[in-house]
Amino acid sequence: MTRGRFITFEGGEGAGKSTQLKRLVARLEAQGREVVATREPGGSPGAESIRDLVLNGAADRWSPVTETLLMYAARRDHVERVIRPSLARGAWVVCDRFADSTRAYQGAAGGTDPRLIAALETYILEEVRPDLTLIFDFPPEIGLHRATARPGAEMRFESKGMAFHERLREGFLAVAKAEPERCVVIDADGEIEAVEAAVWAAVQARLPILPDHGHG
Ligand code: TMP
């Protein structure tokens, strides 16, 4: 059984990632693949409990370093129980946020030492790394407005202020620049269909075992 492929969606708030993730999952399923759609923080029962702790409450409820450790506690459970076994049985895993969100939110924007984050990647993720990461780039002033208008929004990060969200955007773009073989920046400031086409083009170009037909 060949290992599946691991695709992550990254970016700031309100860039339309979740809508695009659903569309990509539908396209991959239409090719007859088993696809596991998941998210972080969360994706397993234990990690979803940690999500509730980390995303709700006052903006200063946790320091950036504590957040980093909570994110990695959740991530380890998700990797052990969902991501690694799914890839091993040949499923494709499509995850709404993963390790780059910690680099950008807790690292670039929050100020956590990048050496701590790099060490956690090494020891907690082990061999589990995305084959492809799509970084949704979007103006934070529009994204934040969209994200906070959502019913039931989990507000801790949305409430951190515009300077934080500017650093976040730069942090994600820095990840893309540092690892161009893994990352593709998607201009998310366009019509849903245009963004969907850009996502599909990136997936076909970077994971060329896909047949070149389907939804066109
Ligand atoms: P979501 O709004 O895309 O569901 O993401 C949940 C929030 O969690 C979002 O504000 C980003 C934040 N987050 C981090 O700060 N660090 C992480 O490692 C992850 C996965 C998410």
mmCIF file of all heavy atoms in Angstrom, residues 183-206:
data_model
loop_
_atom_site.group_PDB
_atom_site.id
_atom_site.type_symbol
_atom_site.label_atom_id
_atom_site.label_comp_id
_atom_site.label_asym_id
_atom_site.label_seq_id
_atom_site.Cartn_x
_atom_site.Cartn_y
_atom_site.Cartn_z
ATOM 1 N N CYS A 183 5.705 24.674 -0.432
ATOM 2 C CA CYS A 183 4.626 25.664 -0.279
ATOM 3 C C CYS A 183 4.253 26.341 -1.596
ATOM 4 O O CYS A 183 5.126 26.631 -2.418
ATOM 5 C CB CYS A 183 5.053 26.755 0.691
ATOM 6 S SG CYS A 183 5.478 26.149 2.328
ATOM 7 N N VAL A 184 2.971 26.638 -1.739
ATOM 8 C CA VAL A 184 2.493 27.473 -2.840
ATOM 9 C C VAL A 184 1.628 28.571 -2.219
ATOM 10 O O VAL A 184 0.731 28.283 -1.426
ATOM 11 C CB VAL A 184 1.641 26.663 -3.846
ATOM 12 C CG1 VAL A 184 1.051 27.570 -4.921
ATOM 13 C CG2 VAL A 184 2.472 25.549 -4.490
ATOM 14 N N VAL A 185 1.917 29.827 -2.564
ATOM 15 C CA VAL A 185 1.091 30.934 -2.076
ATOM 16 C C VAL A 185 -0.103 31.085 -3.019
ATOM 17 O O VAL A 185 0.054 31.155 -4.240
ATOM 18 C CB VAL A 185 1.895 32.251 -2.019
ATOM 19 C CG1 VAL A 185 0.993 33.412 -1.589
ATOM 20 C CG2 VAL A 185 3.084 32.114 -1.066
ATOM 21 N N ILE A 186 -1.301 31.089 -2.436
ATOM 22 C CA ILE A 186 -2.534 31.255 -3.211
ATOM 23 C C ILE A 186 -3.054 32.668 -2.948
ATOM 24 O O ILE A 186 -3.277 33.039 -1.788
ATOM 25 C CB ILE A 186 -3.603 30.226 -2.756
ATOM 26 C CG1 ILE A 186 -3.109 28.772 -2.924
ATOM 27 C CG2 ILE A 186 -4.933 30.463 -3.452
ATOM 28 C CD1 ILE A 186 -2.995 28.281 -4.339
ATOM 29 N N ASP A 187 -3.248 33.432 -4.010
ATOM 30 C CA ASP A 187 -3.851 34.760 -3.853
ATOM 31 C C ASP A 187 -5.341 34.551 -3.581
ATOM 32 O O ASP A 187 -6.092 34.183 -4.479
ATOM 33 C CB ASP A 187 -3.630 35.576 -5.131
ATOM 34 C CG ASP A 187 -4.293 36.943 -5.035
ATOM 35 O OD1 ASP A 187 -4.883 37.268 -3.976
ATOM 36 O OD2 ASP A 187 -4.235 37.687 -6.030
ATOM 37 N N ALA A 188 -5.736 34.734 -2.329
ATOM 38 C CA ALA A 188 -7.105 34.410 -1.927
ATOM 39 C C ALA A 188 -8.046 35.599 -2.069
ATOM 40 O O ALA A 188 -9.215 35.523 -1.699
ATOM 41 C CB ALA A 188 -7.108 33.903 -0.490
ATOM 42 N N ASP A 189 -7.544 36.705 -2.623
ATOM 43 C CA ASP A 189 -8.339 37.918 -2.770
ATOM 44 C C ASP A 189 -8.991 37.926 -4.157
ATOM 45 O O ASP A 189 -8.696 38.777 -4.991
ATOM 46 C CB ASP A 189 -7.427 39.139 -2.577
ATOM 47 C CG ASP A 189 -8.220 40.419 -2.406
ATOM 48 O OD1 ASP A 189 -9.453 40.342 -2.323
ATOM 49 O OD2 ASP A 189 -7.587 41.496 -2.360
ATOM 50 N N GLY A 190 -9.852 36.940 -4.408
ATOM 51 C CA GLY A 190 -10.510 36.849 -5.717
ATOM 52 C C GLY A 190 -11.811 36.086 -5.591
ATOM 53 O O GLY A 190 -12.212 35.702 -4.483
ATOM 54 N N GLU A 191 -12.461 35.852 -6.719
ATOM 55 C CA GLU A 191 -13.711 35.086 -6.718
ATOM 56 C C GLU A 191 -13.434 33.661 -6.239
ATOM 57 O O GLU A 191 -12.354 33.117 -6.507
ATOM 58 C CB GLU A 191 -14.281 35.020 -8.141
ATOM 59 C CG GLU A 191 -14.739 36.364 -8.692
ATOM 60 C CD GLU A 191 -15.877 36.974 -7.878
ATOM 61 O OE1 GLU A 191 -16.774 36.217 -7.439
ATOM 62 O OE2 GLU A 191 -15.851 38.203 -7.666
ATOM 63 N N ILE A 192 -14.432 33.065 -5.589
ATOM 64 C CA ILE A 192 -14.273 31.699 -5.058
ATOM 65 C C ILE A 192 -13.825 30.735 -6.154
ATOM 66 O O ILE A 192 -12.930 29.913 -5.949
ATOM 67 C CB ILE A 192 -15.596 31.224 -4.401
ATOM 68 C CG1 ILE A 192 -15.838 32.009 -3.101
ATOM 69 C CG2 ILE A 192 -15.558 29.720 -4.105
ATOM 70 C CD1 ILE A 192 -17.082 31.593 -2.330
ATOM 71 N N GLU A 193 -14.414 30.870 -7.364
ATOM 72 C CA GLU A 193 -14.081 29.930 -8.451
ATOM 73 C C GLU A 193 -12.638 30.126 -8.914
ATOM 74 O O GLU A 193 -11.958 29.156 -9.253
ATOM 75 C CB GLU A 193 -15.034 30.096 -9.644
ATOM 76 C CG GLU A 193 -16.405 29.446 -9.441
ATOM 77 C CD GLU A 193 -17.240 30.115 -8.350
ATOM 78 O OE1 GLU A 193 -17.074 31.348 -8.140
ATOM 79 O OE2 GLU A 193 -18.031 29.406 -7.691
ATOM 80 N N ALA A 194 -12.183 31.370 -8.944
ATOM 81 C CA ALA A 194 -10.800 31.637 -9.375
ATOM 82 C C ALA A 194 -9.811 31.067 -8.359
ATOM 83 O O ALA A 194 -8.775 30.488 -8.725
ATOM 84 C CB ALA A 194 -10.585 33.138 -9.548
ATOM 85 N N VAL A 195 -10.125 31.215 -7.086
ATOM 86 C CA VAL A 195 -9.247 30.677 -6.042
ATOM 87 C C VAL A 195 -9.259 29.147 -6.113
ATOM 88 O O VAL A 195 -8.207 28.497 -6.027
ATOM 89 C CB VAL A 195 -9.674 31.190 -4.643
ATOM 90 C CG1 VAL A 195 -8.790 30.591 -3.555
ATOM 91 C CG2 VAL A 195 -9.609 32.715 -4.584
ATOM 92 N N GLU A 196 -10.445 28.581 -6.345
ATOM 93 C CA GLU A 196 -10.564 27.125 -6.456
ATOM 94 C C GLU A 196 -9.688 26.609 -7.610
ATOM 95 O O GLU A 196 -9.000 25.591 -7.479
ATOM 96 C CB GLU A 196 -12.032 26.743 -6.691
ATOM 97 C CG GLU A 196 -12.251 25.245 -6.775
ATOM 98 C CD GLU A 196 -13.717 24.866 -7.025
ATOM 99 O OE1 GLU A 196 -14.581 25.772 -7.060
ATOM 100 O OE2 GLU A 196 -13.972 23.670 -7.191
ATOM 101 N N ALA A 197 -9.710 27.323 -8.725
ATOM 102 C CA ALA A 197 -8.896 26.915 -9.883
ATOM 103 C C ALA A 197 -7.404 27.004 -9.549
ATOM 104 O O ALA A 197 -6.615 26.128 -9.940
ATOM 105 C CB ALA A 197 -9.232 27.788 -11.088
ATOM 106 N N ALA A 198 -7.012 28.026 -8.795
ATOM 107 C CA ALA A 198 -5.595 28.164 -8.416
ATOM 108 C C ALA A 198 -5.171 27.025 -7.488
ATOM 109 O O ALA A 198 -4.057 26.497 -7.597
ATOM 110 C CB ALA A 198 -5.372 29.520 -7.743
ATOM 111 N N VAL A 199 -6.071 26.655 -6.589
ATOM 112 C CA VAL A 199 -5.781 25.537 -5.672
ATOM 113 C C VAL A 199 -5.594 24.246 -6.467
ATOM 114 O O VAL A 199 -4.616 23.513 -6.286
ATOM 115 C CB VAL A 199 -6.922 25.374 -4.637
ATOM 116 C CG1 VAL A 199 -6.808 24.049 -3.879
ATOM 117 C CG2 VAL A 199 -6.932 26.553 -3.660
ATOM 118 N N TRP A 200 -6.502 23.997 -7.395
ATOM 119 C CA TRP A 200 -6.444 22.741 -8.154
ATOM 120 C C TRP A 200 -5.195 22.717 -9.039
ATOM 121 O O TRP A 200 -4.524 21.681 -9.151
ATOM 122 C CB TRP A 200 -7.726 22.582 -8.972
ATOM 123 C CG TRP A 200 -7.849 21.234 -9.627
ATOM 124 C CD1 TRP A 200 -7.979 20.979 -10.956
ATOM 125 C CD2 TRP A 200 -7.860 19.950 -8.979
ATOM 126 N NE1 TRP A 200 -8.063 19.628 -11.176
ATOM 127 C CE2 TRP A 200 -7.991 18.970 -9.983
ATOM 128 C CE3 TRP A 200 -7.757 19.532 -7.641
ATOM 129 C CZ2 TRP A 200 -8.026 17.595 -9.712
ATOM 130 C CZ3 TRP A 200 -7.790 18.161 -7.360
ATOM 131 C CH2 TRP A 200 -7.928 17.219 -8.382
ATOM 132 N N ALA A 201 -4.857 23.858 -9.617
ATOM 133 C CA ALA A 201 -3.649 23.927 -10.450
ATOM 134 C C ALA A 201 -2.407 23.618 -9.606
ATOM 135 O O ALA A 201 -1.505 22.889 -10.041
ATOM 136 C CB ALA A 201 -3.529 25.311 -11.096
ATOM 137 N N ALA A 202 -2.370 24.140 -8.396
ATOM 138 C CA ALA A 202 -1.205 23.900 -7.525
ATOM 139 C C ALA A 202 -1.119 22.420 -7.149
ATOM 140 O O ALA A 202 -0.039 21.824 -7.159
ATOM 141 C CB ALA A 202 -1.316 24.762 -6.264
ATOM 142 N N VAL A 203 -2.257 21.823 -6.831
ATOM 143 C CA VAL A 203 -2.259 20.414 -6.429
ATOM 144 C C VAL A 203 -1.809 19.541 -7.600
ATOM 145 O O VAL A 203 -0.972 18.640 -7.445
ATOM 146 C CB VAL A 203 -3.656 19.994 -5.905
ATOM 147 C CG1 VAL A 203 -3.750 18.491 -5.698
ATOM 148 C CG2 VAL A 203 -3.965 20.725 -4.601
ATOM 149 N N GLN A 204 -2.320 19.833 -8.789
ATOM 150 C CA GLN A 204 -1.922 19.025 -9.952
ATOM 151 C C GLN A 204 -0.453 19.207 -10.297
ATOM 152 O O GLN A 204 0.228 18.265 -10.685
ATOM 153 C CB GLN A 204 -2.791 19.377 -11.147
ATOM 154 C CG GLN A 204 -4.183 18.793 -11.013
ATOM 155 C CD GLN A 204 -4.992 18.997 -12.259
ATOM 156 O OE1 GLN A 204 -5.093 20.121 -12.743
ATOM 157 N NE2 GLN A 204 -5.566 17.939 -12.778
ATOM 158 N N ALA A 205 0.045 20.433 -10.148
ATOM 159 C CA ALA A 205 1.449 20.688 -10.493
ATOM 160 C C ALA A 205 2.400 20.048 -9.486
ATOM 161 O O ALA A 205 3.446 19.518 -9.857
ATOM 162 C CB ALA A 205 1.700 22.189 -10.559
ATOM 163 N N ARG A 206 2.025 20.102 -8.201
ATOM 164 C CA ARG A 206 2.960 19.650 -7.171
ATOM 165 C C ARG A 206 2.829 18.173 -6.838
ATOM 166 O O ARG A 206 3.744 17.564 -6.308
ATOM 167 C CB ARG A 206 2.763 20.472 -5.891
ATOM 168 C CG ARG A 206 3.109 21.944 -6.059
ATOM 169 C CD ARG A 206 4.565 22.120 -6.457
ATOM 170 N NE ARG A 206 4.922 23.516 -6.543
ATOM 171 C CZ ARG A 206 5.569 24.172 -5.573
ATOM 172 N NH1 ARG A 206 5.918 23.563 -4.467
ATOM 173 N NH2 ARG A 206 5.868 25.439 -5.728
#
